[in-house]
Amino acid sequence: MAQGFNRTEMLPPLPPPVTERGAIKWLRENLFSTPFNVVLTLFGVAVIYLLLQSALPWWLNSVWNAESLSQCREIVAATAGPDATGACWAMIRERWHQFLFGFYPPAEYWRPILAFGLLFAALAPVLYSGQKRSLTILLGGVLAFLLLTLYLSAAPSSVFVVAVLLVLGMLALVQMQPGKLIWFTLLYPALTFWLLWGGSVWSPIVAMAGFAILYGVFRLASPLIGLAPAAGAGVVAAVLWWLYIDVPTVNLLQSALPFSIPAIASDQFGGFLLAIVIGVTGISFSLPIGILLALGRQSDMPIVKWLSVGFIEFIRGVPLITLLFTASLLLQYFLPPGTNFDIILRVIILVTFFAAAYLAEVIRGGLAALPRGQYEAADALGLDYWRAQRLIILPQALKVSIPAIVSTFIGLFKDTTLVAFVGLMDPLKGVTQIVRADIDWKGIYWEPYIFVGAIFFLICFGMSRYSMYLERKLKTDHR
Amino acid sequence: MTMATDAPKDGFRLSMLVYDTRYRSYTIQIVVLVLFALAVAWLLNNTVQNLAARGKEFNFGFLWQRAGYDIGQQLIPYNNDDNHFRALLIGLLNTLVVAVLGCIFATILGVLIGVLRLSRNWLVSRLMTVYVEMFRNVPLLLWILLSYVILSEVTPQPRDFRVTDEMVAAGEEPAASMMLFDTIAVTNRGTNIPSALFERGLGTVDLGFVSLNLDFWVILAVIAGSIFVNRRIVHSARATQEATGVRPVTWWKSILILFAPVIAVIVAMGFHLEIPSLKGFNFQGGILVAHSFTALLIALTLYTAAFIAEIVRAGIQAISRGQSEAAFALGLRPNRTMNLIILPQALRVIIPPLISQYLNLTKNTSLGIAVSYLDLRGTLGGITLNQTGRELECMLLMMLIYLSISLMISAVMNMYNNSVQLKAR
């Protein structure tokens, strides 16, 4: 054999050709693979160039310290030349508190701030149920946020102490029994109502006592008369409590142990405070109502079914604006003469119904996507209707519809801006118009809309990212 | 089966109404029905009492009273001596024209963006993602207000278009100029677009309550006829293809039949454009489109297009790769793969959510109130309501009209949806 012609060792691998590696390969594959792609790339570059050409100088010449728009323009002209454009963020600096709080009294800003911080503490057990680490991080974030913002808003020191103790207590609870944190979530609505609207501390406590009475009557009566009649008796007792005993009790307690914070009227709410109050309340109440409506629509009982269908189709068929006008104009016809209740509450009720009808359709899609076998299996196990729904059907149906549910929530939050049409001061139309009507800031338009839009974007985008996280977390199939 | 018949027959006890599944659903339904009837009766009773307390009565007679207000944009003739009902019609037409144009533009833009977002070009797909996220996560109201403010504050005044002799002598350009071959002028008062005029027009026919513009209807009829004939041509071509395997060439016949008759009719009627021109302090001639309309249309289009883009993307992604690979294996060219294999399947996924986007767009036209666009909400639910003080009647009528528009759109689109759904099984 001619051994001299055979290699004894392997050649070292050559590097790939220059067009097949690194940045050049990426560019060739992603931007210049075909003539059409080259055209598209050039088009994209042109769009970016045009946007930057007009917007970049405007951003770079931003003015943060000025008294009025004309002064802003003078500063821009002085620093960047007579033809330069520049953003006038000084307006945000002067008016940010109106965008966030509306006409809420500045001395009481700590109240919405505290409520906002605690909102995340209340959401924590819902968002990350039972995950000690995520809960601790979130509560730590809440604590840091509250320390910083309460300090900045010059909250009374007693509030400072109470808030810190409260969050520290919750942190301790998370370490020992993370499941118990849900109790704070249940108490949160009453707490927030009292913090935001103020008044006597006894009214939320006595109102919550109604729920305790409901539960107490139910527990006492159920061994005697059965579950369903006991539940009915509980509801009747609670309603009687709220109708006849609530107000005198509050007055009595308030005269015996007076403790109250200044009451704030609804027309002083505004800006993102209003949007978040309506949005969060609407979201948390629309989901259970939506689930009930969806189940009603799927029901075998024709009367329940047709009532649900009628409600859903009616609400979905009319624009939200007309429903809001119903809240502001027509409710006075439908309620007993002389009743007059808060406009924010009326709007929240109508917004909740609106979102619930959309959610019902979304959840119906999830229910329809479940294979028939799941229902049959639940029946075969001998589960009754509610147990089957709670343990078998709804967990799967809701999981399938998470993306659509969250996009309905995002839609609801965006729709809170429509309350401007019934005279409430939303951040977009209400506050911005007040600012634009000011002689100092007349003629400003990009800055307020960019500011408000950016905040909406952050919140809505955050929600959609969370829904993606939830989908991944709940994913049980192995595809 | 024996279980059911073996159930206790020893008489009927009252508790069986709650605990026996055979009777329970009746109990629940009757309770629900009674509660519902009580609630309705309570609401009606309150309403009657409230109406009596305010000294009002429930009737729609006010619709025939003189309206007494002007509406800027009117598709059929109207003046402030007409009654509220006609104002309502004007408002309804204004709602519908924004809704229809918005649906068309949003579909075109949305499909384009949805397809581009799937493009393998990294830069373009990122740009489109930014577009979609930006428009989806910010309230529609912001886009309406922003477009309106920009249109009315950034655009030049009519006098900026003026060209004087001194400027010509000095070789200066005017501060603003018209767009698109000097036919469209965007000023801070509105957009002036050319209007179509017919020298030998057919005039109008008065039908009592509404007058028909014959030119418009004749052109519409000719277009409809052309489309019908074209469909017959395509149909017979397909029949020939199925019978003989050879498809006759039809594209030139289609183009001829689609465009020739319309052009012939238009020329015969003496079509020409009346181009707006600066006279005195304002533009004269042509049609003045108010900024409220333009802003609403732009905002609705951009906003809904983002949602439609997502729907289109999801629809195309729902078709597995195997489908296009199989089509290529059969030797179909890319465009025929798209037309014959991908689109028919993707449409089935796309259409139901697309319908609900159209519905949303239609309902969102009611936000035109933010820029004082006088649509149904602005006329019937706005000025008419305030003038007559008939909240109950106006709101109910308005909800009823919106509800019937919604139901009609979903009925029509569902019919179309059924025609493209799988016919198997």
Side-chain angles (χ1 to χ4, degrees):
Chain A
M1 295 298 285
Q3 287 159 332
F5 294 104
N6 287 351
R7 263 187 198 284
T8 52
E9 76 280 357
M10 293 288 284
L11 274 178
L14 286 173
V18 70
T19 54
E20 285 299 318
R21 65 184 154 150
I24 294 181
K25 176 183 184 206
W26 187 87
L27 281 177
R28 265 171 63 97
E29 284 189 351
N30 288 302
L31 295 181
F32 301 104
S33 57
T34 60
F36 180 63
N37 253 341
V38 173
V39 174
L40 278 184
T41 305
L42 292 180
F43 165 75
V45 170
V47 168
I48 294 176
Y49 175 75
L50 283 177
L51 284 178
L52 285 185
Q53 188 208 20
S54 52
L56 202 59
W58 187 79
W59 284 94
L60 290 178
N61 295 336
S62 297
V63 177
W64 282 92
N65 272 314
E67 302 274 297
S68 68
L69 185 60
S70 50
Q71 201 183 353
C72 264
R73 289 188 177 145
E74 281 164 20
I75 294 174
V76 171
T79 52
D83 286 337
T85 58
C88 186
W89 300 111
M91 187 277 293
I92 304 296
R93 198 189 157 94
E94 291 257 307
R95 297 302 192 95
W96 63 271
H97 52 91
Q98 274 189 346
F99 280 103
L100 295 190
F101 300 108
F103 288 128
Y104 210 84
E108 310 289 329
Y109 278 172
W110 61 269
R111 282 155 54 174
I113 289 175
L114 185 60
F116 183 71
L118 292 180
L119 169 68
F120 289 92
L123 283 179
V126 183
L127 294 183
Y128 304 102
S129 60
Q131 299 172 36
K132 222 180 248 184
R133 195 164 157 268
S134 305
L135 286 175
T136 313
I137 294 174
L138 189 58
L139 285 176
V142 168
L143 187 62
F145 169 83
L146 284 180
L147 283 177
L148 185 68
T149 50
L150 287 179
Y151 171 72
L152 287 178
S153 66
S157 46
S158 55
V159 173
F160 221 77
V161 173
V162 170
V164 170
L165 283 181
L166 188 61
V167 180
L168 284 178
M170 278 192 279
L171 270 170
L173 190 63
V174 165
Q175 305 312 320
M176 291 180 291
Q177 287 175 310
K180 288 275 191 288
L181 204 57
I182 199 81
W183 282 103
F184 177 71
T185 310
L186 293 179
L187 291 177
Y188 179 77
L191 177 65
T192 307
F193 177 79
W194 178 65
L195 273 179
L196 291 182
W197 273 272
S200 164
V201 72
W202 296 111
S203 40
I205 292 179
V206 175
M208 287 304 267
F211 287 103
I213 287 173
L214 198 164
Y215 184 70
V217 169
F218 173 72
R219 281 300 292 271
L220 284 178
S222 55
L224 302 174
I225 54 176
L227 287 181
V235 169
V236 169
V239 168
L240 286 177
W241 171 269
W242 285 320
L243 279 184
Y244 298 109
I245 309 177
D246 192 321
V247 179
T249 319
V250 170
N251 290 339
L252 192 71
L253 284 169
Q254 178 64 21
S255 56
L257 287 169
F259 183 76
S260 63
I261 50 179
I264 312 283
S266 280
D267 56 3
Q268 291 182 292
F269 283 58
F272 279 98
L273 167 63
L274 183 68
I276 291 176
V277 166
I278 297 176
V280 170
T281 327
I283 284 173
S284 31
F285 285 103
S286 62
L287 187 60
I289 301 179
I291 291 175
L292 286 182
L293 281 173
L295 292 178
R297 194 168 182 168
Q298 296 285 79
S299 161
D300 296 331
M301 297 182 271
I303 291 176
V304 175
K305 181 177 173 175
W306 288 114
L307 284 179
S308 307
V309 170
F311 181 82
I312 292 171
E313 292 301 329
F314 171 70
I315 300 267
R316 279 164 49 91
V318 298
L320 178 57
I321 287 195
T322 59
L323 291 177
L324 291 178
F325 271 92
T326 308
S328 76
L329 293 176
L330 289 197
L331 236 46
Q332 51 174 338
Y333 283 101
F334 295 146
L335 296 176
T339 19
N340 188 16
F341 68 101
D342 194 83
I343 179 74
I344 293 186
L345 188 58
R346 289 192 246 170
V347 163
I348 286 177
I349 292 175
L350 267 295
V351 167
T352 306
F353 281 162
F354 187 74
Y358 277 81
L359 279 177
E361 283 301 275
V362 162
I363 294 166
R364 184 170 73 114
L367 289 173
L370 272 197
R372 188 89 219 117
Q374 296 291 327
Y375 292 87
E376 287 163 1
D379 285 346
L381 286 174
L383 297 176
D384 65 21
Y385 179 79
W386 291 108
R387 283 215 178 83
Q389 297 296 340
R390 193 161 56 84
L391 299 173
I392 312 279
I393 309 298
L394 280 180
Q396 302 184 66
L398 289 181
K399 191 176 84 182
V400 177
S401 28
I402 285 174
I405 290 178
V406 174
S407 58
T408 311
F409 286 164
I410 292 176
L412 186 155
F413 187 65
K414 286 187 294 179
D415 281 343
T416 57
T417 52
L418 302 192
V419 300
F421 297 117
V422 290
L424 292 173
M425 199 169 53
D426 79 307
L428 197 52
K429 194 170 153 63
V431 177
T432 306
Q433 264 182 359
I434 291 175
V435 169
R436 276 163 51 81
D438 186 335
I439 192 77
D440 282 345
W441 305 110
K442 201 167 165 50
I444 198 166
Y445 47 91
W446 279 110
E447 291 86 349
Y449 291 122
I450 288 180
F451 177 70
V452 175
I455 296 182
F456 267 107
F457 181 85
L458 280 181
I459 297 175
C460 298
F461 193 66
M463 280 202 260
S464 70
R465 289 289 124 167
Y466 175 77
S467 93
M468 286 180 180
Y469 155 82
L470 200 60
E471 255 182 289
R472 270 200 311 279
K473 189 183 109 178
L474 297 179
K475 198 167 191 170
T476 44
D477 54 351
H478 305 282
R479 258 191 282 177
Chain B
M1 278 302 106
T2 47
M3 295 275 287
T5 48
D6 282 355
K9 288 181 177 165
D10 46 322
F12 179 81
R13 294 185 313 276
L14 211 56
S15 63
M16 283 167 74
L17 282 179
V18 176
Y19 294 109
D20 193 320
T21 47
R22 287 170 300 175
Y23 304 115
R24 183 159 58 188
S25 73
Y26 294 108
T27 321
I28 294 175
Q29 293 194 61
I30 287 169
V31 169
V32 167
L33 193 64
V34 168
L35 285 180
F36 179 70
L38 281 178
V40 170
W42 183 69
L43 289 180
L44 281 180
N45 180 35
N46 286 337
T47 311
V48 170
Q49 281 185 15
N50 281 316
L51 281 175
R54 286 174 172 77
K56 290 180 181 175
E57 55 182 0
F58 186 80
N59 77 53
F60 287 94
F62 69 93
L63 282 177
W64 312 111
Q65 292 166 5
R66 179 176 177 274
Y69 59 92
D70 288 308
I71 300 177
Q73 176 185 322
Q74 25 185 282
L75 297 183
I76 56 174
Y78 166 86
N79 64 52
N80 58 19
D81 277 335
D82 285 319
N83 56 25
H84 284 296
F85 183 72
R86 196 164 176 92
L88 182 164
L89 277 186
I90 303 280
L92 181 58
L93 284 175
N94 285 348
T95 293
L96 290 178
V97 75
V98 173
V100 170
L101 288 178
C103 285
I104 294 171
F105 291 144
T107 311
I108 295 171
L109 190 64
V111 170
L112 191 71
I113 290 168
V115 171
L116 282 183
R117 206 181 160 186
L118 285 176
S119 145
R120 287 172 60 195
N121 188 311
W122 181 85
L123 185 68
V124 170
S125 69
R126 283 305 134 97
L127 272 181
M128 295 306 144
T129 310
V130 169
Y131 174 91
V132 168
E133 293 297 345
M134 193 169 96
F135 277 89
R136 276 203 319 172
N137 287 317
V138 171
L140 170 63
L141 187 60
L142 187 144
W143 301 118
I144 296 178
L145 291 171
L146 190 60
S147 350
Y148 183 71
V149 168
I150 289 176
L151 276 175
S152 48
E153 299 211 2
V154 178
T155 49
Q157 294 182 340
R159 66 158 185 259
D160 292 338
F161 289 81
R162 188 183 306 282
V163 184
T164 54
D165 292 339
E166 296 91 60
M167 286 168 77
V168 175
E172 284 176 356
E173 291 285 311
S177 53
M178 294 168 76
M179 296 191 295
L180 218 73
F181 310 112
D182 280 353
T183 53
I184 298 177
V186 184
T187 74
N188 59 353
R189 299 183 191 181
T191 307
N192 296 85
I193 60 167
S195 59
L197 287 184
F198 297 97
E199 271 171 26
R200 299 177 289 278
L202 301 170
T204 55
V205 171
D206 202 6
L207 291 182
F209 68 101
V210 64
S211 59
L212 297 177
N213 184 343
L214 277 184
D215 302 331
F216 174 74
W217 290 102
V218 163
I219 292 172
L220 204 65
V222 169
I223 291 176
S226 303
I227 290 174
F228 176 74
V229 173
N230 181 48
R231 283 183 66 150
R232 299 290 307 188
I233 291 175
V234 172
H235 190 74
S236 73
R238 188 170 300 144
T240 317
Q241 186 183 20
E242 302 219 328
T244 64
V246 182
R247 190 176 176 88
V249 179
T250 57
W251 61 267
W252 60 270
K253 285 188 210 161
S254 289
I255 290 178
L256 201 65
I257 202 75
L258 280 180
F259 293 103
V262 180
I263 294 171
V265 167
I266 287 177
V267 170
M269 290 198 294
F271 170 80
H272 65 271
L273 287 178
E274 189 193 27
I275 292 170
S277 60
L278 192 62
K279 295 214 175 71
F281 293 106
N282 227 332
F283 277 89
Q284 303 287 327
I287 301 171
L288 176 66
V289 181
H291 281 324
S292 54
F293 174 82
T294 323
L296 188 59
L297 187 59
I298 290 176
L300 283 173
T301 304
L302 294 178
Y303 182 79
T304 315
F307 288 87
I308 294 182
E310 279 300 273
I311 293 170
V312 168
R313 183 178 72 106
I316 294 178
Q317 276 182 338
I319 310 304
S320 68
R321 279 190 65 76
Q323 294 288 327
S324 50
E325 282 166 2
F328 289 141
L330 286 174
L332 292 176
R333 278 172 276 122
N335 63 338
R336 288 185 77 76
T337 305
M338 198 62 180
N339 283 338
L340 298 174
I341 310 291
I342 308 287
L343 270 189
Q345 300 186 67
L347 274 186
R348 238 178 268 140
V349 184
I350 290 173
I351 285 178
L354 192 63
I355 298 173
S356 63
Q357 283 309 319
Y358 287 163
L359 283 172
N360 281 347
L361 191 149
T362 310
K363 283 182 285 175
N364 282 338
T365 56
S366 58
L367 295 192
I369 181 85
V371 290
S372 312
Y373 180 66
L374 283 184
D375 61 347
L376 184 62
R377 164 72 195 81
T379 55
L380 175 68
I383 305 178
T384 295
L385 185 150
N386 288 336
Q387 279 191 2
T388 58
R390 304 257 177 191
E391 293 104 345
L392 202 57
E393 293 91 334
C394 285
M395 294 296 296
L396 286 181
L397 192 59
M398 186 166 73
M399 284 189 174
L400 202 66
I401 294 175
Y402 275 118
L403 197 60
S404 18
I405 296 176
S406 295
L407 292 180
M408 262 189 290
I409 293 177
S410 43
V412 169
M413 295 308 284
N414 278 329
M415 257 153 53
Y416 177 64
N417 191 28
N418 286 337
S419 72
V420 295
Q421 285 299 322
L422 270 184
K423 298 287 192 305
R425 275 166 288 161

